[in-house]
Structure formats: C-alpha cells, structure tokens
Amino acid sequence: MTSPTIVLVHGAFADAASFAPVTRMLLDRGFRVVVPAVPNRSLLGDSAYIRSVVEEIDGPVLLAGHSYGGAVITVAGAAENVVGLVYISGYALDEGESLGQLQGGFPDSDLASNLIYTPFPIEGAEPGTDVSVNVDAFPDIFAAGVDRDVAEVLAVSQRPLAALAFGEPAPVAAWKTKPGWGIVSSADRTINPDVERFGYQRAGLRRVIEIDAPHLVMRSHPAEVTAVITDAIAELG
C-alpha cells in the first residue's frame, strides 16, 4: 500500500498549531502531512468539512485526532480512503452517541468548572453559544506541561467550540470498520482519562498506550505521539 497521507485533526480550544512539534517530526521523516483548521462549529459540520479535505487527497489517509478531534475523526473516518484512526487524548464516540453523553458517564474533569460561555450572533436565528476555557486557568488545566510563556499565548488565542457540538450524536462510528490506535494522557485535567480508556476499549483499538502526560500530549511528548502514528503506518503497510 502507498504510504498514507497523515491528516492531523486538532480539538476544541486549540488550532492546527497545537500539532506543530509532531508535524515537524513527521515532515522530517518524509511523510505527507495535512493539518486542516477545524471550524469547531458543530460535530456534524466539522466532520463533513474534514471528510471533504480527506476525500480531496489522492491515496490512503491516516486520520489522527486530538481531544474533540477524536470525535471528528470518528465520523469523518467513514470516508472510503481512510485506512486507520489514531486517537490522541480523544473521544471515541459510538454511533448515536454525543460528547455530552460519553462525558456524562464519568466524573467531571477540572476543566468543567473553568469553562466560559459566550453568545455569538447567527443570522436569522437565535444566538449560538461559544464555549472556551477561562484564560487564567488555561495554562494549568488545558496546557499543563507546556512552557508557561507558550501556554499563556495559547490561552489568549484559543479557538472556542460551539456548544451545539456537545449534544450532536455521531451518525457513524468509523472505528467499527477501520483499525485504530489510542493514546491515553493519564495526567489529563481536561478530559477524564477514564473517558479515553472507556472509548478506546469499547472501540477495540489495536493498541492503546498510556503516557504520563497532560492533555496537550503532542506538545509535551511529541516524540511519543509521533511514534504511535508512524508505528500505525508500519502496521498498515
């Protein structure tokens, strides 16, 4: 099989730059990499957008999703040319399940009490709601393990997630037909690590590794994340 193009899908409260260290390592090893900007407006809309990006790529694709990006690849991964899924501190939803339902089965993380809700206008409709992380809490909860100066920049440049995304059920679960790999961040204060463990076990992922790392594991432990991605490609090959 032709070596897959690696599509890195960021999550909520972050952007494509959150994958920068891993992106650099993959490019240095000669892999083709695409790191699209996820709109973070709705699970269905975001998944459709990522799927459209994937389907424009000539050849096989390995999808890797961080955090909310895990939910996105669960749906977008149904694209025919997707050959595998890598979950990075992410949500592996089941068909018909929403983020809120999966999270609701476990105790809240420290993030829950540090979320900010802000209305935003929608033309011809009721206002939507953006969800973001309290800027003061962001470095210690969302960006723990990242250099403080960098974390403070990430805090003021975070990309909110529309509240709509939390309640939308996944119309498909790509892990039912595609092989998958998972990373649990055991020191995660953004997603309860048990949410990650449960989703991965239910999905029957080929291999799951635990890293003593915070939520932004691809920034705090980029070599380990890169290794999981490249090992997945080796197995697919």
Side-chain angles (χ1 to χ4, degrees), residues 40-48 68 71-72 75 93-102 161-172:
N40 284 0
R41 296 296 83 193
S42 70
L43 177 59
L44 298 182
D46 295 340
S47 302
Y68 167 68
V72 173
V75 181
L93 299 179
D94 198 356
E95 184 176 341
E97 182 179 54
S98 69
L99 286 169
Q101 288 172 324
L102 177 55
L161 177 66
L164 175 66
F166 290 94
E168 289 182 316
V172 64

Side-chain angles (χ1 to χ4, degrees), residues 161-192:
L161 177 66
L164 175 66
F166 290 94
E168 289 182 316
V172 64
W175 49 258
K176 293 186 176 182
T177 57
K178 311 288 175 79
W181 294 260
I183 296 173
V184 174
S185 292
S186 59
D188 202 330
R189 298 180 64 192
T190 295
I191 299 176
N192 183 332

Side-chain angles (χ1 to χ4, degrees), residues 62-117:
L62 178 73
L63 277 175
H66 173 251
S67 190
Y68 167 68
V72 173
I73 69 169
T74 296
V75 181
E80 187 175 345
N81 60 330
V82 171
V83 294
L85 309 166
V86 177
Y87 290 90
I88 304 168
S89 313
Y91 295 101
L93 299 179
D94 198 356
E95 184 176 341
E97 182 179 54
S98 69
L99 286 169
Q101 288 172 324
L102 177 55
Q103 283 195 145
F106 299 86
D108 285 342
S109 69
D110 292 338
L111 179 74
S113 60
N114 287 282
L115 293 175
I116 304 296
Y117 300 87

Side-chain angles (χ1 to χ4, degrees), residues 178-236:
K178 311 288 175 79
W181 294 260
I183 296 173
V184 174
S185 292
S186 59
D188 202 330
R189 298 180 64 192
T190 295
I191 299 176
N192 183 332
D194 285 339
V195 173
E196 301 165 23
R197 295 182 184 107
F198 172 80
Y200 299 168
Q201 182 178 20
R202 181 177 59 183
L205 302 186
R206 285 190 177 183
R207 185 166 55 258
V208 174
I209 71 164
E210 296 223 3
I211 301 176
D212 183 15
H215 189 61
L216 286 178
V217 60
M218 64 282 202
R219 277 193 166 268
S220 65
H221 294 70
E224 290 92 328
V225 173
T226 300
V228 171
I229 293 171
T230 57
D231 287 351
I233 287 178
E235 287 189 45
L236 288 168

